[in-house]
Amino acid sequence: MIRIIVAEDHTIVREGIKQLIGLAKDMLVVGEAGNGQQLLDQLRQTPCDVVLLDISMPGVNGLEAIPRIRVLSEPPAILVLSMHDEAQMAARALKVGAAGYATKDSDPALLLIALRKVASGGRYIDPELADRMVFEVGLTDSRPPHALLSEREYSVFERLVHGDSVNDIAAKLALSSKTISTHKARLMQKLVAHSVADLVRYAMEHKLV
């Protein structure tokens, strides 16, 4: 039996995923979480084989949670489930330790296949993303500017475009406001942005929100 924890901040989506997994005779949902911190707390109490992880969650987001999960004594496989069908986002998740990347608009049957594959030690990439990753991610000249952001800069960028202030981000990431301001300045330079409005526009144009 494949034991799964579902980490997704939208209750309706989470319930739908649980119903889908419930149809599979070889899978069992043993826990759920609505944000990254809840997930990390639950993982310390509930053994599982796979974490189905939404990449965009409040507090500790998916990208930040992945390396924290990987350092646990018996880390489960991580299958990212994202609304972003973007090759760079998938590459970023895999780079920090995810075993697979599926999108929310993919066929439900493919999600079950993906869960089985990562549970058995394999890797899974959404079929529509696979070819794009081969051709886009490895070609430096074709990479979009946000692919050049460090993990911390991307985390700050994501929170800024969702309306968080520098002080809000500092509190959530347990860093000083000065450090966050430095990250903000660097990421704005890399994205050639002059305001948060520019960042929001950039995120929308690249389907990052």
Side-chain angles (χ1 to χ4, degrees):
M1 186 69 70
I2 300 171
R3 301 165 299 172
I4 300 166
I5 290 180
V6 179
E8 160 66 55
D9 63 320
H10 292 96
T11 304
I12 292 177
V13 176
R14 191 167 66 245
E15 291 300 317
I17 291 170
K18 287 164 58 183
Q19 287 184 22
L20 173 63
I21 294 173
L23 298 175
K25 295 181 180 179
D26 59 338
M27 299 183 193
L28 178 67
V29 175
V30 295
E32 58 185 281
N35 61 57
Q37 191 56 56
Q38 283 181 8
L39 171 62
L40 294 170
D41 291 342
Q42 184 151 111
L43 282 169
R44 296 185 184 98
Q45 304 169 14
T46 309
C48 71
D49 304 300
V50 180
V51 170
L52 184 58
L53 178 64
D54 179 20
I55 207 164
S56 301
M57 291 191 298
V60 178
N61 66 29
L63 281 177
E64 293 165 345
I66 292 170
R68 300 191 192 185
I69 296 170
R70 296 299 300 155
V71 299
L72 295 175
S73 58
E74 294 184 15
I78 301 167
L79 176 63
V80 170
L81 184 63
S82 174
M83 63 180 288
H84 306 296
D85 63 345
E86 209 232 12
Q88 296 292 341
M89 183 71 77
R92 195 178 286 272
L94 295 171
K95 180 182 177 182
V96 296
Y101 191 97
T103 57
K104 291 182 178 178
D105 59 357
S106 61
D107 187 322
L110 287 179
L111 180 59
L112 297 180
I113 290 171
L115 286 165
R116 292 187 181 103
K117 191 164 185 180
V118 300
S120 65
R123 296 173 77 81
Y124 177 88
I125 305 293
D126 186 285
E128 293 187 8
L129 274 177
D131 287 343
R132 284 162 51 196
M133 286 183 68
V134 170
F135 290 103
E136 290 178 22
V137 176
L139 302 177
T140 304
D141 292 340
S142 66
R143 289 191 299 169
H146 63 269
L148 304 177
L149 300 179
S150 68
E151 297 306 323
R152 182 63 77 195
E153 288 167 351
Y154 189 87
S155 179
V156 172
F157 162 68
E158 186 178 47
R159 285 176 163 82
L160 286 170
V161 300
H162 281 94
D164 285 359
S165 68
V166 167
N167 289 337
D168 291 335
I169 299 170
K172 289 177 180 177
L173 298 183
L175 296 170
S176 70
S177 296
K178 183 178 179 180
T179 297
I180 299 302
S181 294
T182 300
H183 288 311
K184 178 183 177 182
R186 288 176 180 165
L187 72 89
M188 290 184 73
Q189 184 178 24
K190 290 179 180 179
L191 300 183
V192 195
H194 303 289
S195 66
V196 172
D198 287 344
L199 294 179
V200 172
R201 192 175 303 112
Y202 179 96
M204 293 178 69
E205 288 174 353
H206 289 81
K207 299 180 180 179
L208 300 175
V209 292

